[in-house]
Short mmCIF file of all heavy atoms in Angstrom, two decimals:
data_model
loop_
_atom_site.label_atom_id
_atom_site.label_comp_id
_atom_site.label_asym_id
_atom_site.label_seq_id
_atom_site.Cartn_x
_atom_site.Cartn_y
_atom_site.Cartn_z
N LEU Q 616 23.20 -22.36 10.05
CA LEU Q 616 22.40 -22.65 11.23
C LEU Q 616 22.02 -24.12 11.33
O LEU Q 616 21.85 -24.65 12.44
CB LEU Q 616 21.13 -21.80 11.23
CG LEU Q 616 21.31 -20.29 11.39
CD1 LEU Q 616 19.96 -19.60 11.38
CD2 LEU Q 616 22.04 -19.97 12.69
N VAL Q 617 21.88 -24.77 10.18
CA VAL Q 617 21.43 -26.16 10.20
C VAL Q 617 21.95 -26.87 8.96
O VAL Q 617 22.02 -26.30 7.88
CB VAL Q 617 19.88 -26.22 10.25
CG1 VAL Q 617 19.25 -25.53 9.07
CG2 VAL Q 617 19.39 -27.66 10.34
N ASN Q 618 22.34 -28.13 9.13
CA ASN Q 618 22.76 -28.95 8.02
C ASN Q 618 21.58 -29.70 7.45
O ASN Q 618 20.65 -30.09 8.16
CB ASN Q 618 23.83 -29.95 8.47
CG ASN Q 618 25.10 -29.27 8.92
OD1 ASN Q 618 25.53 -28.28 8.33
ND2 ASN Q 618 25.72 -29.80 9.97
N ASP Q 619 21.62 -29.92 6.14
CA ASP Q 619 20.55 -30.68 5.51
C ASP Q 619 20.56 -32.11 6.04
O ASP Q 619 21.61 -32.71 6.28
CB ASP Q 619 20.77 -30.69 3.99
CG ASP Q 619 19.54 -31.17 3.25
OD1 ASP Q 619 18.46 -31.26 3.87
OD2 ASP Q 619 19.66 -31.45 2.04
N GLY Q 620 19.39 -32.67 6.26
CA GLY Q 620 19.29 -34.02 6.79
C GLY Q 620 17.88 -34.35 7.19
O GLY Q 620 16.93 -33.63 6.87
N HIS Q 621 17.72 -35.46 7.92
CA HIS Q 621 16.40 -35.86 8.39
C HIS Q 621 15.91 -34.89 9.46
O HIS Q 621 16.67 -34.49 10.35
CB HIS Q 621 16.46 -37.28 8.96
CG HIS Q 621 16.86 -38.32 7.95
ND1 HIS Q 621 15.98 -38.81 7.02
CD2 HIS Q 621 18.04 -38.94 7.73
CE1 HIS Q 621 16.60 -39.71 6.27
NE2 HIS Q 621 17.85 -39.81 6.68
N GLY Q 622 14.64 -34.54 9.39
CA GLY Q 622 14.09 -33.63 10.39
C GLY Q 622 12.70 -33.18 10.01
O GLY Q 622 12.03 -33.79 9.16
N LEU Q 623 12.26 -32.14 10.66
CA LEU Q 623 10.96 -31.57 10.32
C LEU Q 623 10.97 -30.07 10.55
O LEU Q 623 11.79 -29.55 11.34
CB LEU Q 623 9.83 -32.22 11.11
CG LEU Q 623 9.44 -31.66 12.49
CD1 LEU Q 623 8.08 -32.18 12.89
CD2 LEU Q 623 10.48 -32.02 13.53
N THR Q 624 10.05 -29.40 9.87
CA THR Q 624 9.87 -27.96 10.02
C THR Q 624 8.40 -27.70 10.35
O THR Q 624 7.51 -28.22 9.68
CB THR Q 624 10.26 -27.22 8.74
OG1 THR Q 624 11.63 -27.47 8.44
CG2 THR Q 624 10.05 -25.72 8.90
N VAL Q 625 8.18 -26.93 11.39
CA VAL Q 625 6.83 -26.49 11.74
C VAL Q 625 6.76 -25.00 11.43
O VAL Q 625 7.51 -24.21 12.00
CB VAL Q 625 6.51 -26.75 13.21
CG1 VAL Q 625 5.13 -26.19 13.56
CG2 VAL Q 625 6.57 -28.24 13.53
N THR Q 626 5.91 -24.64 10.50
CA THR Q 626 5.73 -23.21 10.19
C THR Q 626 4.53 -22.69 10.97
O THR Q 626 3.46 -23.30 10.95
CB THR Q 626 5.52 -22.98 8.69
OG1 THR Q 626 4.36 -23.69 8.24
CG2 THR Q 626 6.72 -23.43 7.90
N THR Q 627 4.73 -21.59 11.64
CA THR Q 627 3.65 -20.95 12.40
C THR Q 627 3.17 -19.72 11.63
O THR Q 627 3.98 -18.95 11.11
CB THR Q 627 4.10 -20.55 13.81
OG1 THR Q 627 5.29 -19.77 13.72
CG2 THR Q 627 4.39 -21.79 14.64
N VAL Q 628 1.85 -19.56 11.57
CA VAL Q 628 1.23 -18.53 10.74
C VAL Q 628 0.23 -17.75 11.59
O VAL Q 628 -0.61 -18.34 12.28
CB VAL Q 628 0.49 -19.19 9.55
CG1 VAL Q 628 -0.20 -18.13 8.70
CG2 VAL Q 628 1.46 -20.02 8.72
N VAL Q 629 0.30 -16.43 11.54
CA VAL Q 629 -0.70 -15.57 12.18
C VAL Q 629 -1.92 -15.53 11.27
O VAL Q 629 -1.85 -15.07 10.12
CB VAL Q 629 -0.16 -14.15 12.42
CG1 VAL Q 629 -1.25 -13.25 12.99
CG2 VAL Q 629 1.04 -14.20 13.36
N VAL Q 630 -3.08 -16.01 11.76
CA VAL Q 630 -4.22 -16.23 10.87
C VAL Q 630 -5.06 -14.98 10.61
O VAL Q 630 -5.74 -14.90 9.58
CB VAL Q 630 -5.12 -17.37 11.39
CG1 VAL Q 630 -4.39 -18.69 11.37
CG2 VAL Q 630 -5.69 -17.06 12.77
N LYS Q 631 -5.05 -14.01 11.53
CA LYS Q 631 -5.82 -12.78 11.32
C LYS Q 631 -4.89 -11.58 11.54
O LYS Q 631 -5.04 -10.80 12.49
CB LYS Q 631 -7.02 -12.72 12.26
CG LYS Q 631 -8.03 -13.82 12.07
CD LYS Q 631 -8.75 -13.74 10.72
CE LYS Q 631 -9.82 -12.68 10.72
NZ LYS Q 631 -10.63 -12.73 9.44
N PRO Q 632 -3.92 -11.40 10.64
CA PRO Q 632 -2.94 -10.32 10.84
C PRO Q 632 -3.57 -8.94 10.74
O PRO Q 632 -4.52 -8.71 10.00
CB PRO Q 632 -1.93 -10.56 9.71
CG PRO Q 632 -2.71 -11.27 8.65
CD PRO Q 632 -3.69 -12.14 9.39
N LYS Q 633 -2.98 -8.02 11.49
CA LYS Q 633 -3.41 -6.62 11.46
C LYS Q 633 -2.52 -5.76 10.57
O LYS Q 633 -2.88 -4.62 10.25
CB LYS Q 633 -3.43 -6.05 12.88
CG LYS Q 633 -4.45 -6.72 13.79
CD LYS Q 633 -4.42 -6.12 15.19
CE LYS Q 633 -5.43 -6.80 16.12
NZ LYS Q 633 -5.37 -6.26 17.50
N SER Q 634 -1.37 -6.26 10.19
CA SER Q 634 -0.46 -5.51 9.32
C SER Q 634 -1.10 -5.33 7.95
O SER Q 634 -1.77 -6.24 7.43
CB SER Q 634 0.87 -6.26 9.17
OG SER Q 634 1.49 -6.43 10.42
N ARG Q 635 -0.86 -4.18 7.36
CA ARG Q 635 -1.39 -3.87 6.04
C ARG Q 635 -0.26 -3.33 5.16
O ARG Q 635 0.55 -2.52 5.60
CB ARG Q 635 -2.52 -2.85 6.11
CG ARG Q 635 -3.74 -3.31 6.91
CD ARG Q 635 -4.47 -4.45 6.23
NE ARG Q 635 -5.68 -4.86 6.90
CZ ARG Q 635 -5.75 -5.84 7.81
NH1 ARG Q 635 -4.64 -6.49 8.15
NH2 ARG Q 635 -6.90 -6.16 8.36
N GLY Q 636 -0.26 -3.78 3.91
CA GLY Q 636 0.74 -3.32 2.96
C GLY Q 636 0.07 -2.68 1.76
O GLY Q 636 -1.08 -2.24 1.81
N GLU Q 637 0.80 -2.64 0.64
CA GLU Q 637 0.25 -2.01 -0.55
C GLU Q 637 0.91 -2.55 -1.81
O GLU Q 637 2.01 -3.12 -1.78
CB GLU Q 637 0.42 -0.49 -0.49
CG GLU Q 637 1.86 -0.02 -0.54
CD GLU Q 637 1.98 1.50 -0.56
OE1 GLU Q 637 0.95 2.18 -0.46
OE2 GLU Q 637 3.11 1.99 -0.69
N VAL Q 638 0.20 -2.37 -2.92
CA VAL Q 638 0.71 -2.66 -4.26
C VAL Q 638 0.64 -1.36 -5.05
O VAL Q 638 -0.41 -0.72 -5.12
CB VAL Q 638 -0.13 -3.74 -4.96
CG1 VAL Q 638 0.36 -3.97 -6.39
CG2 VAL Q 638 -0.09 -5.05 -4.17
N ARG Q 639 1.77 -0.98 -5.65
CA ARG Q 639 1.84 0.24 -6.43
C ARG Q 639 2.43 -0.07 -7.80
O ARG Q 639 3.00 -1.14 -8.03
CB ARG Q 639 2.73 1.29 -5.73
CG ARG Q 639 2.34 1.56 -4.28
CD ARG Q 639 1.25 2.59 -4.19
NE ARG Q 639 1.80 3.94 -4.27
CZ ARG Q 639 1.07 5.05 -4.19
NH1 ARG Q 639 -0.22 4.96 -4.02
NH2 ARG Q 639 1.62 6.24 -4.25
N LEU Q 640 2.29 0.85 -8.72
CA LEU Q 640 2.92 0.71 -10.03
C LEU Q 640 4.38 1.13 -9.96
O LEU Q 640 4.72 2.12 -9.30
CB LEU Q 640 2.20 1.57 -11.06
CG LEU Q 640 0.77 1.20 -11.43
CD1 LEU Q 640 0.20 2.25 -12.40
CD2 LEU Q 640 0.69 -0.19 -12.05
N LYS Q 641 5.23 0.39 -10.67
CA LYS Q 641 6.60 0.86 -10.85
C LYS Q 641 6.67 1.86 -12.00
O LYS Q 641 7.49 2.78 -12.00
CB LYS Q 641 7.52 -0.32 -11.14
CG LYS Q 641 7.82 -1.19 -9.94
CD LYS Q 641 8.81 -2.29 -10.29
CE LYS Q 641 9.10 -3.17 -9.08
NZ LYS Q 641 10.01 -4.30 -9.43
N SER Q 642 5.83 1.65 -12.99
CA SER Q 642 5.78 2.54 -14.14
C SER Q 642 4.47 2.27 -14.88
O SER Q 642 3.67 1.42 -14.48
CB SER Q 642 6.97 2.29 -15.08
OG SER Q 642 6.77 1.09 -15.82
N ALA Q 643 4.27 2.97 -15.98
CA ALA Q 643 3.10 2.74 -16.83
C ALA Q 643 3.35 1.65 -17.85
O ALA Q 643 2.49 1.38 -18.69
CB ALA Q 643 2.69 4.04 -17.53
N ASN Q 644 4.51 1.03 -17.79
CA ASN Q 644 4.84 -0.06 -18.70
C ASN Q 644 4.18 -1.34 -18.22
O ASN Q 644 4.49 -1.83 -17.13
CB ASN Q 644 6.36 -0.24 -18.76
CG ASN Q 644 6.79 -1.24 -19.82
OD1 ASN Q 644 5.99 -2.05 -20.27
ND2 ASN Q 644 8.05 -1.16 -20.22
N PRO Q 645 3.28 -1.93 -19.00
CA PRO Q 645 2.57 -3.13 -18.55
C PRO Q 645 3.47 -4.32 -18.27
O PRO Q 645 3.07 -5.26 -17.57
CB PRO Q 645 1.61 -3.44 -19.71
CG PRO Q 645 1.46 -2.16 -20.44
CD PRO Q 645 2.78 -1.46 -20.31
N THR Q 646 4.69 -4.33 -18.83
CA THR Q 646 5.58 -5.47 -18.61
C THR Q 646 6.30 -5.40 -17.27
O THR Q 646 6.90 -6.39 -16.84
CB THR Q 646 6.61 -5.57 -19.74
OG1 THR Q 646 7.46 -4.42 -19.73
CG2 THR Q 646 5.92 -5.68 -21.10
N ASP Q 647 6.27 -4.26 -16.60
CA ASP Q 647 6.92 -4.14 -15.30
C ASP Q 647 6.08 -4.82 -14.22
O ASP Q 647 4.86 -4.68 -14.19
CB ASP Q 647 7.13 -2.67 -14.93
CG ASP Q 647 8.28 -2.04 -15.67
OD1 ASP Q 647 9.08 -2.78 -16.28
OD2 ASP Q 647 8.39 -0.80 -15.65
N MET Q 648 6.77 -5.53 -13.33
CA MET Q 648 6.08 -6.09 -12.18
C MET Q 648 5.66 -4.94 -11.25
O MET Q 648 6.30 -3.88 -11.23
CB MET Q 648 7.01 -7.05 -11.44
CG MET Q 648 7.45 -8.23 -12.27
SD MET Q 648 6.23 -9.54 -12.35
CE MET Q 648 6.67 -10.47 -10.89
N PRO Q 649 4.62 -5.13 -10.46
CA PRO Q 649 4.23 -4.08 -9.51
C PRO Q 649 5.22 -3.98 -8.35
O PRO Q 649 5.99 -4.91 -8.09
CB PRO Q 649 2.86 -4.55 -9.03
CG PRO Q 649 2.90 -6.03 -9.18
CD PRO Q 649 3.72 -6.29 -10.40
N ALA Q 650 5.20 -2.85 -7.67
CA ALA Q 650 5.99 -2.66 -6.46
C ALA Q 650 5.16 -3.12 -5.28
O ALA Q 650 4.09 -2.57 -5.01
CB ALA Q 650 6.39 -1.19 -6.30
N VAL Q 651 5.63 -4.15 -4.57
CA VAL Q 651 4.84 -4.79 -3.51
C VAL Q 651 5.52 -4.59 -2.16
O VAL Q 651 6.72 -4.85 -2.01
CB VAL Q 651 4.67 -6.29 -3.79
CG1 VAL Q 651 3.85 -6.95 -2.70
CG2 VAL Q 651 4.03 -6.51 -5.15
N SER Q 652 4.75 -4.14 -1.19
CA SER Q 652 5.24 -3.99 0.18
C SER Q 652 4.22 -4.63 1.12
O SER Q 652 3.25 -4.00 1.50
CB SER Q 652 5.44 -2.51 0.53
OG SER Q 652 5.94 -2.38 1.85
N PRO Q 653 4.43 -5.90 1.53
CA PRO Q 653 3.42 -6.58 2.35
C PRO Q 653 3.45 -6.20 3.83
O PRO Q 653 2.47 -6.43 4.54
CB PRO Q 653 3.77 -8.05 2.16
CG PRO Q 653 5.23 -8.06 1.87
CD PRO Q 653 5.50 -6.80 1.10
N ASN Q 654 4.57 -5.68 4.31
CA ASN Q 654 4.68 -5.25 5.72
C ASN Q 654 4.38 -6.38 6.71
O ASN Q 654 3.73 -6.15 7.75
CB ASN Q 654 3.77 -4.05 6.00
CG ASN Q 654 4.26 -2.78 5.36
OD1 ASN Q 654 5.46 -2.61 5.16
ND2 ASN Q 654 3.36 -1.89 5.02
N LEU Q 655 4.84 -7.58 6.41
CA LEU Q 655 4.59 -8.72 7.30
C LEU Q 655 5.15 -8.46 8.69
O LEU Q 655 6.29 -8.02 8.85
CB LEU Q 655 5.23 -9.99 6.73
CG LEU Q 655 4.76 -10.42 5.33
CD1 LEU Q 655 5.50 -11.69 4.89
CD2 LEU Q 655 3.25 -10.64 5.30
N LEU Q 656 4.33 -8.72 9.70
CA LEU Q 656 4.68 -8.56 11.12
C LEU Q 656 4.99 -7.11 11.51
O LEU Q 656 5.58 -6.88 12.57
CB LEU Q 656 5.88 -9.45 11.50
CG LEU Q 656 5.67 -10.96 11.41
CD1 LEU Q 656 6.93 -11.69 11.89
CD2 LEU Q 656 4.45 -11.41 12.20
N LYS Q 657 4.58 -6.16 10.72
CA LYS Q 657 4.86 -4.76 11.08
C LYS Q 657 4.01 -4.31 12.26
O LYS Q 657 4.48 -3.56 13.12
CB LYS Q 657 4.62 -3.85 9.87
CG LYS Q 657 5.05 -2.41 10.13
CD LYS Q 657 5.01 -1.58 8.86
CE LYS Q 657 5.55 -0.17 9.12
NZ LYS Q 657 5.57 0.64 7.88
#
């Protein structure tokens, strides 16, 4: 979509989102990362 070079990026952010996600366990093993579902823009 775009070649690397001189330019700028403007990131737009929704400041008071209504979407809700969750964090769950993958297992009882403490070394496992949690299962994350942020549901951004849902």
Side-chain angles (χ1 to χ4, degrees):
L616 293 180
V617 59
N618 295 322
D619 194 13
H621 298 282
L623 88 164
T624 300
V625 176
T626 59
T627 53
V628 178
V629 176
V630 295
K631 298 293 283 187
K633 295 179 181 177
S634 300
R635 298 292 184 267
E637 66 177 4
V638 176
R639 307 275 277 181
L640 293 176
K641 286 184 180 177
S642 75
N644 187 340
T646 64
D647 283 347
M648 299 280 272
V651 180
S652 181
N654 288 332
L655 301 179
L656 296 183
K657 187 171 184 178

